[in-house]
Structures are given as structure tokens and as C-alpha cells.
Coordinates of all heavy atoms in Angstrom, one line a residue:
M1 N 0.8 -1.2 0.0 CA 0.0 0.0 0.0 C 0.9 1.3 0.0 O 0.6 2.2 -0.7 CB -0.9 0.0 1.2 CG -2.0 1.1 1.2 SD -3.1 1.0 -0.2 CE -3.9 2.6 -0.1
T2 N 1.9 1.2 0.8 CA 2.8 2.4 0.9 C 3.5 2.6 -0.4 O 3.7 3.7 -0.9 CB 3.9 2.2 2.0 OG1 3.2 1.7 3.2 CG2 4.6 3.5 2.3
L3 N 3.9 1.5 -1.1 CA 4.6 1.6 -2.4 C 3.7 2.2 -3.4 O 4.1 3.1 -4.2 CB 5.0 0.2 -2.8 CG 5.8 0.1 -4.1 CD1 7.2 0.7 -3.9 CD2 6.0 -1.3 -4.6
V4 N 2.4 1.9 -3.4 CA 1.4 2.5 -4.3 C 1.4 4.1 -4.1 O 1.4 4.8 -5.1 CB 0.0 1.9 -4.2 CG1 -1.0 2.6 -5.0 CG2 0.1 0.4 -4.6
I5 N 1.3 4.5 -2.9 CA 1.3 5.9 -2.5 C 2.5 6.6 -3.0 O 2.5 7.7 -3.6 CB 1.1 6.1 -1.0 CG1 -0.3 5.6 -0.6 CG2 1.2 7.5 -0.6 CD1 -0.6 5.5 0.9
I6 N 3.7 6.0 -2.8 CA 5.0 6.6 -3.2 C 5.0 6.7 -4.8 O 5.4 7.7 -5.3 CB 6.2 5.7 -2.7 CG1 6.3 5.8 -1.2 CG2 7.5 6.1 -3.4 CD1 7.3 4.9 -0.6
L7 N 4.6 5.6 -5.5 CA 4.5 5.7 -6.9 C 3.6 6.7 -7.4 O 3.9 7.5 -8.4 CB 4.1 4.3 -7.5 CG 5.2 3.2 -7.5 CD1 4.7 1.9 -7.9 CD2 6.4 3.6 -8.3
L8 N 2.4 6.9 -6.8 CA 1.5 7.9 -7.2 C 2.1 9.3 -7.0 O 1.9 10.2 -7.8 CB 0.2 7.8 -6.4 CG -0.8 6.7 -7.0 CD1 -2.0 6.6 -6.0 CD2 -1.3 7.1 -8.4
A9 N 2.8 9.5 -5.8 CA 3.4 10.8 -5.6 C 4.5 11.1 -6.6 O 4.6 12.3 -7.1 CB 3.9 10.8 -4.1
L10 N 5.3 10.1 -6.9 CA 6.3 10.3 -8.0 C 5.7 10.7 -9.3 O 6.2 11.6 -10.0 CB 7.2 9.1 -8.1 CG 8.3 8.9 -7.0 CD1 9.0 7.6 -7.2 CD2 9.3 10.0 -7.1
A11 N 4.6 10.0 -9.7 CA 4.0 10.2 -10.9 C 3.4 11.7 -11.0 O 3.5 12.4 -12.0 CB 2.9 9.2 -11.2
A12 N 2.8 12.1 -9.9 CA 2.2 13.4 -9.8 C 3.3 14.5 -9.9 O 3.1 15.5 -10.5 CB 1.4 13.6 -8.5
A13 N 4.4 14.2 -9.2 CA 5.5 15.2 -9.2 C 6.1 15.3 -10.6 O 6.4 16.5 -11.1 CB 6.6 14.8 -8.2
S14 N 6.3 14.2 -11.3 CA 6.9 14.3 -12.6 C 5.9 14.9 -13.6 O 6.3 15.7 -14.5 CB 7.3 12.9 -13.1 OG 6.2 12.1 -13.2
A15 N 4.6 14.7 -13.4 CA 3.6 15.3 -14.3 C 3.5 16.8 -14.1 O 3.5 17.5 -15.1 CB 2.3 14.6 -14.0
S16 N 3.6 17.2 -12.9 CA 3.6 18.7 -12.6 C 4.8 19.4 -13.1 O 4.8 20.5 -13.6 CB 3.3 19.0 -11.1 OG 4.4 18.4 -10.4
A17 N 6.0 18.7 -13.0 CA 7.2 19.3 -13.5 C 7.2 19.4 -15.0 O 7.6 20.4 -15.6 CB 8.4 18.4 -13.1
W18 N 6.7 18.4 -15.7 CA 6.5 18.4 -17.1 C 5.5 19.5 -17.5 O 5.8 20.3 -18.4 CB 6.0 17.1 -17.6 CG 5.9 17.1 -19.1 CD1 6.8 16.8 -20.1 CD2 4.7 17.4 -19.9 NE1 6.3 17.0 -21.3 CE2 5.0 17.3 -21.2 CE3 3.4 17.7 -19.5 CZ2 4.0 17.5 -22.2 CZ3 2.4 17.9 -20.5 CH2 2.8 17.8 -21.8
G19 N 4.4 19.6 -16.8 CA 3.4 20.6 -17.1 C 4.0 22.0 -16.9 O 3.7 22.9 -17.8
L20 N 4.8 22.2 -15.9 CA 5.3 23.6 -15.6 C 6.4 23.9 -16.7 O 6.3 25.1 -17.2 CB 6.0 23.6 -14.3 CG 6.5 25.0 -13.8 CD1 5.3 25.9 -13.6 CD2 7.3 24.8 -12.5
S21 N 7.2 23.0 -17.1 CA 8.2 23.3 -18.1 C 7.5 23.5 -19.5 O 7.9 24.4 -20.3 CB 9.3 22.2 -18.2 OG 8.7 21.0 -18.7
H22 N 6.5 22.7 -19.8 CA 5.7 22.9 -21.0 C 5.1 24.3 -21.0 O 5.1 25.0 -22.0 CB 4.7 21.8 -21.1 CG 4.0 21.8 -22.4 ND1 4.6 21.3 -23.5 CD2 2.8 22.1 -22.8 CE1 3.8 21.3 -24.6 NE2 2.6 21.9 -24.1
Y23 N 4.5 24.7 -19.9 CA 3.9 26.0 -19.8 C 4.9 27.1 -19.9 O 4.6 28.1 -20.6 CB 3.2 26.1 -18.4 CG 2.7 27.5 -18.0 CD1 1.7 28.1 -18.6 CD2 3.4 28.2 -17.0 CE1 1.3 29.4 -18.3 CE2 3.0 29.5 -16.7 CZ 2.0 30.0 -17.3 OH 1.6 31.3 -16.9
L24 N 6.0 27.0 -19.3 CA 7.1 28.0 -19.4 C 7.6 28.1 -20.8 O 7.9 29.2 -21.3 CB 8.2 27.8 -18.4 CG 7.9 28.0 -17.0 CD1 9.1 27.6 -16.1 CD2 7.5 29.5 -16.7
G25 N 7.7 27.0 -21.5 CA 8.2 27.0 -22.9 C 7.3 27.7 -23.9 O 7.8 28.1 -24.9
R26 N 6.0 27.8 -23.5 CA 5.1 28.4 -24.5 C 5.0 29.9 -24.2 O 4.3 30.6 -25.0 CB 3.7 27.8 -24.3 CG 3.7 26.4 -25.0 CD 2.4 25.7 -24.6 NE 1.2 26.6 -24.7 CZ 0.1 26.3 -25.3 NH1 0.0 25.1 -25.9 NH2 -0.9 27.1 -25.4
L27 N 5.6 30.4 -23.1 CA 5.4 31.9 -22.8 C 6.3 32.7 -23.8 O 7.3 32.2 -24.3 CB 5.9 32.1 -21.4 CG 5.0 31.6 -20.3 CD1 5.7 31.8 -18.9 CD2 3.7 32.2 -20.3
P28 N 5.8 33.9 -24.1 CA 6.7 34.8 -24.9 C 8.0 35.2 -24.2 O 8.0 35.2 -22.9 CB 5.8 36.0 -25.1 CG 4.8 36.0 -24.0 CD 4.6 34.6 -23.7
V29 N 9.0 35.4 -24.9 CA 10.3 35.7 -24.3 C 10.4 37.2 -24.0 O 10.1 38.1 -24.8 CB 11.4 35.3 -25.3 CG1 12.8 35.7 -24.8 CG2 11.4 33.9 -25.6
A30 N 10.7 37.5 -22.7 CA 10.9 38.9 -22.3 C 12.2 39.5 -22.9 O 13.1 38.7 -23.2 CB 10.9 38.9 -20.8
P31 N 12.3 40.8 -23.0 CA 11.3 41.8 -22.7 C 10.5 42.3 -23.8 O 9.8 43.3 -23.6 CB 12.2 42.9 -22.1 CG 13.4 42.9 -23.0 CD 13.6 41.4 -23.3
Q32 N 10.5 41.7 -25.0 CA 9.7 42.2 -26.1 C 8.3 41.9 -26.0 O 7.9 40.7 -25.8 CB 10.3 41.7 -27.4 CG 11.5 42.5 -27.9 CD 11.9 42.1 -29.3 OE1 11.8 41.0 -29.7 NE2 12.4 43.1 -30.1
C33 N 7.4 42.8 -26.2 CA 5.9 42.6 -26.3 C 5.6 41.7 -27.5 O 6.1 41.9 -28.6 CB 5.2 43.9 -26.4 SG 3.5 43.7 -26.7
P34 N 4.8 40.6 -27.3 CA 4.5 39.7 -28.4 C 3.6 40.3 -29.4 O 3.4 39.8 -30.5 CB 3.8 38.5 -27.7 CG 3.3 39.1 -26.4 CD 4.3 40.1 -26.0
C35 N 2.9 41.5 -29.1 CA 2.0 42.1 -30.1 C 2.8 43.2 -30.9 O 2.6 43.2 -32.1 CB 0.9 42.8 -29.3 SG -0.1 41.6 -28.4
C36 N 3.5 44.1 -30.2 CA 4.0 45.3 -30.9 C 5.5 45.4 -30.8 O 6.1 46.3 -31.3 CB 3.3 46.5 -30.4 SG 3.7 46.9 -28.7
R37 N 6.2 44.4 -30.2 CA 7.7 44.4 -30.1 C 8.3 45.5 -29.3 O 9.5 45.7 -29.4 CB 8.3 44.3 -31.5 CG 7.9 43.2 -32.3 CD 8.6 41.9 -31.9 NE 7.9 40.7 -32.3 CZ 7.9 39.5 -31.8 NH1 8.7 39.4 -30.7 NH2 7.3 38.5 -32.2
T38 N 7.5 46.2 -28.5 CA 8.0 47.2 -27.6 C 8.6 46.5 -26.4 O 8.1 45.5 -26.0 CB 6.9 48.2 -27.2 OG1 6.3 48.7 -28.4 CG2 7.5 49.4 -26.5
V39 N 9.6 47.2 -25.8 CA 10.1 46.6 -24.5 C 9.0 46.8 -23.4 O 8.5 47.9 -23.2 CB 11.4 47.3 -24.1 CG1 11.9 46.8 -22.8 CG2 12.5 47.0 -25.2
T40 N 8.7 45.7 -22.7 CA 7.7 45.7 -21.7 C 8.3 46.2 -20.4 O 9.5 46.1 -20.1 CB 7.0 44.4 -21.5 OG1 8.1 43.4 -21.3 CG2 6.3 44.0 -22.8
D41 N 7.3 46.5 -19.5 CA 7.7 46.9 -18.1 C 7.2 45.8 -17.1 O 6.3 45.1 -17.4 CB 7.0 48.2 -17.7 CG 7.9 49.4 -18.1 OD1 9.1 49.3 -18.0 OD2 7.3 50.4 -18.5
R42 N 7.8 45.9 -16.0 CA 7.3 45.0 -14.9 C 5.9 45.4 -14.5 O 5.7 46.6 -14.3 CB 8.3 45.0 -13.7 CG 8.0 43.9 -12.8 CD 9.2 43.8 -11.8 NE 9.1 44.9 -10.8 CZ 10.0 45.1 -9.9 NH1 11.0 44.3 -9.8 NH2 9.9 46.1 -9.1
R43 N 5.0 44.4 -14.4 CA 3.6 44.8 -14.0 C 3.6 45.3 -12.6 O 4.1 44.7 -11.7 CB 2.7 43.6 -14.2 CG 1.3 44.0 -14.4 CD 0.3 42.8 -14.3 NE 0.7 41.7 -15.2 CZ 0.1 40.5 -15.0 NH1 -0.8 40.3 -14.1 NH2 0.5 39.6 -15.9
R44 N 2.9 46.4 -12.4 CA 2.8 47.0 -11.1 C 1.9 46.3 -10.2 O 2.0 46.3 -9.0 CB 2.4 48.5 -11.2 CG 3.3 49.3 -12.0 CD 3.7 50.6 -11.3 NE 4.8 51.2 -12.1 CZ 4.7 52.4 -12.7 NH1 3.5 53.0 -12.7 NH2 5.7 52.9 -13.4
T45 N 0.9 45.7 -10.8 CA -0.2 45.0 -9.9 C 0.1 43.5 -9.8 O -0.9 42.7 -9.8 CB -1.6 45.3 -10.5 OG1 -1.6 44.8 -11.9 CG2 -1.9 46.7 -10.5
A46 N 1.3 43.1 -9.8 CA 1.7 41.7 -9.7 C 1.2 41.1 -8.4 O 1.5 41.7 -7.3 CB 3.2 41.5 -9.9
G47 N 0.6 40.0 -8.4 CA 0.1 39.3 -7.2 C 1.2 38.5 -6.6 O 2.4 38.5 -7.0
S48 N 0.9 37.8 -5.5 CA 1.9 37.1 -4.7 C 2.3 35.9 -5.5 O 3.5 35.5 -5.4 CB 1.3 36.7 -3.4 OG 0.1 35.9 -3.5
V49 N 1.5 35.3 -6.3 CA 1.8 34.1 -7.2 C 2.9 34.6 -8.2 O 3.8 33.9 -8.5 CB 0.6 33.5 -7.8 CG1 1.0 32.4 -8.8 CG2 -0.4 33.0 -6.8
D50 N 2.6 35.8 -8.8 CA 3.5 36.3 -9.8 C 4.9 36.5 -9.2 O 5.9 36.2 -9.8 CB 3.0 37.6 -10.4 CG 1.8 37.3 -11.2 OD1 1.7 36.3 -12.0 OD2 0.8 38.1 -11.1
L51 N 4.9 37.1 -8.0 CA 6.2 37.4 -7.3 C 6.9 36.1 -7.0 O 8.2 36.0 -7.1 CB 6.0 38.2 -6.0 CG 5.5 39.7 -6.3 CD1 5.2 40.3 -5.0 CD2 6.5 40.4 -7.0
L52 N 6.2 35.1 -6.6 CA 6.8 33.8 -6.3 C 7.4 33.2 -7.5 O 8.6 32.7 -7.5 CB 5.8 32.9 -5.6 CG 6.3 31.5 -5.2 CD1 7.2 31.6 -4.0 CD2 5.1 30.6 -4.9
L53 N 6.7 33.2 -8.6 CA 7.2 32.7 -9.9 C 8.4 33.4 -10.4 O 9.4 32.8 -10.8 CB 6.1 32.7 -11.0 CG 5.1 31.6 -11.0 CD1 4.0 31.9 -12.0 CD2 5.8 30.3 -11.5
A54 N 8.4 34.7 -10.2 CA 9.6 35.5 -10.7 C 10.8 35.2 -9.8 O 11.9 35.2 -10.3 CB 9.2 37.0 -10.6
R55 N 10.5 35.0 -8.5 CA 11.6 34.7 -7.6 C 12.2 33.4 -7.9 O 13.4 33.1 -7.7 CB 11.2 34.8 -6.1 CG 12.3 34.8 -5.1 CD 11.8 35.3 -3.8 NE 11.4 36.7 -3.9 CZ 10.7 37.3 -2.9 NH1 10.5 36.7 -1.8 NH2 10.4 38.6 -3.0
L56 N 11.4 32.4 -8.3 CA 11.9 31.1 -8.7 C 12.6 31.1 -10.0 O 13.1 30.0 -10.5 CB 10.7 30.1 -8.7 CG 10.1 29.7 -7.3 CD1 8.9 28.9 -7.5 CD2 11.2 29.0 -6.5
G57 N 12.7 32.2 -10.7 CA 13.3 32.2 -12.0 C 12.4 31.8 -13.1 O 12.9 31.5 -14.2
G58 N 11.1 31.7 -12.9 CA 10.2 31.2 -13.9 C 9.7 32.3 -14.8 O 10.4 32.9 -15.5
A59 N 8.4 32.6 -14.6 CA 7.7 33.6 -15.4 C 7.7 34.9 -14.7 O 7.5 34.9 -13.5 CB 6.3 33.1 -15.8
A60 N 7.8 36.0 -15.4 CA 7.7 37.3 -14.9 C 6.5 38.0 -15.4 O 6.1 37.9 -16.5 CB 9.0 38.1 -15.3
A61 N 5.7 38.6 -14.4 CA 4.5 39.3 -14.8 C 4.9 40.7 -15.4 O 5.6 41.5 -14.8 CB 3.6 39.5 -13.6
R62 N 4.6 40.9 -16.7 CA 5.0 42.1 -17.4 C 3.8 42.7 -18.1 O 2.8 42.0 -18.4 CB 6.2 41.9 -18.3 CG 7.4 41.3 -17.5 CD 8.6 41.2 -18.4 NE 9.1 42.4 -18.9 CZ 10.0 43.2 -18.2 NH1 10.4 42.8 -17.0 NH2 10.4 44.3 -18.7
E63 N 3.9 44.0 -18.5 CA 2.9 44.6 -19.2 C 3.5 45.6 -20.2 O 4.6 46.1 -20.0 CB 1.9 45.4 -18.3 CG 2.5 46.5 -17.6 CD 1.5 47.2 -16.6 OE1 0.4 46.7 -16.4 OE2 1.9 48.2 -16.0
C64 N 2.7 45.8 -21.3 CA 3.2 46.7 -22.4 C 2.5 48.1 -22.2 O 1.3 48.1 -22.1 CB 2.9 46.1 -23.7 SG 3.3 47.2 -25.1
R65 N 3.3 49.2 -22.2 CA 2.7 50.5 -22.0 C 2.2 51.0 -23.3 O 1.3 51.9 -23.3 CB 3.8 51.4 -21.5 CG 4.3 51.2 -20.1 CD 3.3 51.7 -19.1 NE 3.4 50.9 -17.9 CZ 4.3 51.1 -16.9 NH1 5.2 52.1 -17.1 NH2 4.3 50.4 -15.8
R66 N 2.6 50.4 -24.5 CA 2.1 51.0 -25.7 C 0.8 50.4 -26.2 O -0.1 51.1 -26.5 CB 3.2 50.7 -26.8 CG 3.0 51.4 -28.1 CD 4.2 51.2 -29.0 NE 3.8 51.3 -30.4 CZ 4.5 50.8 -31.4 NH1 5.6 50.1 -31.1 NH2 4.1 50.9 -32.6
C67 N 0.6 49.0 -26.1 CA -0.6 48.4 -26.7 C -1.5 47.9 -25.5 O -2.6 47.4 -25.8 CB -0.3 47.4 -27.7 SG 0.4 45.9 -27.0
G68 N -1.0 47.9 -24.3 CA -1.8 47.4 -23.2 C -1.7 45.9 -23.0 O -2.5 45.4 -22.1
W69 N -0.9 45.2 -23.7 CA -0.8 43.7 -23.4 C -0.2 43.5 -22.0 O 0.7 44.2 -21.6 CB 0.2 43.1 -24.5 CG 0.4 41.6 -24.3 CD1 -0.4 40.7 -24.8 CD2 1.4 41.0 -23.5 NE1 0.1 39.4 -24.4 CE2 1.2 39.6 -23.6 CE3 2.4 41.5 -22.7 CZ2 2.0 38.7 -22.9 CZ3 3.2 40.5 -22.0 CH2 3.0 39.2 -22.2
A70 N -0.8 42.5 -21.3 CA -0.3 42.1 -20.0 C -0.3 40.6 -19.9 O -1.3 40.0 -20.3 CB -1.1 42.8 -18.9
G71 N 0.7 40.1 -19.3 CA 0.8 38.6 -19.1 C 2.1 38.2 -18.5 O 2.9 39.0 -18.1
R72 N 2.3 36.9 -18.6 CA 3.6 36.4 -18.0 C 4.6 36.1 -19.2 O 4.2 35.8 -20.3 CB 3.3 35.0 -17.3 CG 2.5 35.2 -16.1 CD 2.7 34.2 -15.1 NE 2.0 34.5 -13.8 CZ 0.8 33.9 -13.5 NH1 0.3 33.0 -14.3 NH2 0.2 34.3 -12.4
M73 N 5.8 36.3 -18.9 CA 6.9 36.1 -19.9 C 8.0 35.4 -19.2 O 8.1 35.3 -18.0 CB 7.4 37.5 -20.4 CG 6.4 38.4 -20.9 SD 7.2 39.9 -21.5 CE 7.0 39.7 -23.3
R74 N 8.8 34.8 -20.1 CA 10.0 34.1 -19.5 C 11.3 34.8 -20.0 O 11.3 35.3 -21.1 CB 10.0 32.6 -20.0 CG 10.2 32.4 -21.5 CD 10.0 31.0 -21.9 NE 9.8 31.0 -23.3 CZ 10.6 30.6 -24.2 NH1 11.8 30.2 -23.8 NH2 10.4 30.5 -25.5
W75 N 12.3 34.7 -19.2 CA 13.6 35.3 -19.6 C 14.4 34.2 -20.2 O 14.5 33.1 -19.8 CB 14.3 35.9 -18.3 CG 13.6 37.1 -17.8 CD1 12.8 37.1 -16.7 CD2 13.7 38.4 -18.3 NE1 12.4 38.4 -16.5 CE2 12.9 39.2 -17.5 CE3 14.4 39.0 -19.3 CZ2 12.8 40.6 -17.7 CZ3 14.3 40.4 -19.5 CH2 13.5 41.1 -18.7
R76 N 15.1 34.6 -21.3 CA 15.9 33.7 -22.0 C 17.2 33.5 -21.2 O 17.8 34.4 -20.7 CB 16.3 34.2 -23.4 CG 16.7 33.1 -24.3 CD 17.0 33.6 -25.7 NE 15.9 34.5 -26.1 CZ 15.9 35.2 -27.3 NH1 17.0 35.1 -28.0 NH2 15.0 36.0 -27.6
V77 N 17.6 32.2 -21.0 CA 18.9 32.0 -20.3 C 20.1 32.3 -21.2 O 20.1 31.9 -22.3 CB 18.9 30.5 -19.8 CG1 20.2 30.2 -19.1 CG2 17.7 30.2 -19.0
A78 N 21.0 33.0 -20.6 CA 22.2 33.4 -21.4 C 23.1 32.2 -21.6 O 23.3 31.4 -20.7 CB 23.0 34.5 -20.6
T79 N 23.5 32.0 -22.8 CA 24.4 30.9 -23.1 C 25.9 31.3 -23.1 O 26.8 30.5 -23.1 CB 24.0 30.2 -24.4 OG1 24.0 31.2 -25.4 CG2 22.7 29.6 -24.4
Q80 N 26.1 32.6 -23.2 CA 27.5 33.1 -23.2 C 27.6 34.2 -22.2 O 26.6 34.9 -21.9 CB 27.9 33.7 -24.5 CG 28.4 32.6 -25.5 CD 28.9 33.2 -26.8 OE1 28.5 34.3 -27.2 NE2 29.8 32.6 -27.4
S81 N 28.8 34.5 -21.6 CA 29.0 35.6 -20.7 C 29.0 36.9 -21.5 O 29.4 36.9 -22.7 CB 30.3 35.4 -19.9 OG 31.4 35.5 -20.8
A82 N 28.6 38.0 -20.9 CA 28.5 39.3 -21.6 C 29.8 40.0 -21.6 O 30.0 40.9 -22.4 CB 27.5 40.1 -20.9
G83 N 30.8 39.6 -20.8 CA 32.0 40.4 -20.7 C 33.0 40.1 -21.8 O 34.2 39.8 -21.4
R84 N 32.7 40.0 -23.1 CA 33.7 39.7 -24.1 C 33.5 40.6 -25.3 O 32.4 41.0 -25.6 CB 33.5 38.2 -24.5 CG 34.2 37.3 -23.5 CD 34.7 36.0 -24.1 NE 33.6 35.2 -24.6 CZ 33.8 34.2 -25.5 NH1 35.0 33.9 -25.8 NH2 32.8 33.5 -25.9
Ligands
ZN1 ZN1 2.7 45.8 -27.0

């Protein structure tokens, strides 16, 4: 019985990790607005979930001042150092 519970917990954990990475992969890349390509700003009315996601390095809550788009974005991970 305990083994079944452990297996179910492992399956749920891997499913949620896959779902989160799939969700993050579909987000637009910051800081360009997906509608008008203007550089977006950090959303002022970000909730606690948005702040938690941003702190974990996931999605950042951002908004566009030009066209009014608002949503979550992901930051692209740097593959090279900038000091060259
Ligand atoms: Zn825009």
C-alpha cells in the first residue's frame, strides 16, 4: 500500500514538473511585447503568485505600455557571458 502511494506521488511530481516546463516554454520571451515588439515593463499590480514565480526564475509578470498587453513572460537563459 505504501509503495502505491509513493509511486502515485512520484507520478504526480513528474507530471507537474513536465506541465510547468511545458507552460514556461510556451510563454513569450521577455522583454519584447508579443504584439508590438516594444520593450515591456514589470507589471505594477503583480500578485503574490507572480512574485513567487519571478523569484523562482520562472515567469515574470509584465505589461506593455504601448498596446496594453499584459501577461507572463520568460527570460531567456544566457548561453555566453556578456563580458567579451
Ligand atoms: Zn505591446
Side-chain angles (χ1 to χ4, degrees):
M1 188 62 194
T2 314
L3 186 66
V4 173
I5 293 172
I6 291 172
L7 282 175
L8 277 175
L10 279 175
S14 62
S16 61
W18 179 86
L20 188 65
S21 66
H22 190 73
Y23 166 73
L24 286 177
R26 285 168 47 129
L27 291 175
V29 176
Q32 277 192 326
C33 170
C35 300
C36 66
R37 300 284 161 204
T38 307
V39 174
T40 55
D41 272 324
R42 195 168 71 184
R43 204 193 304 168
R44 298 230 172 112
T45 57
S48 55
V49 175
D50 292 318
L51 290 175
L52 181 69
L53 272 171
R55 193 163 294 171
L56 290 173
R62 300 185 68 84
E63 66 184 5
C64 178
R65 293 282 154 80
R66 190 170 154 205
C67 72
W69 179 89
R72 295 207 174 99
M73 305 181 107
R74 67 190 159 104
W75 289 100
R76 202 179 312 176
V77 177
T79 54
Q80 276 187 331
S81 67
R84 283 209 293 167

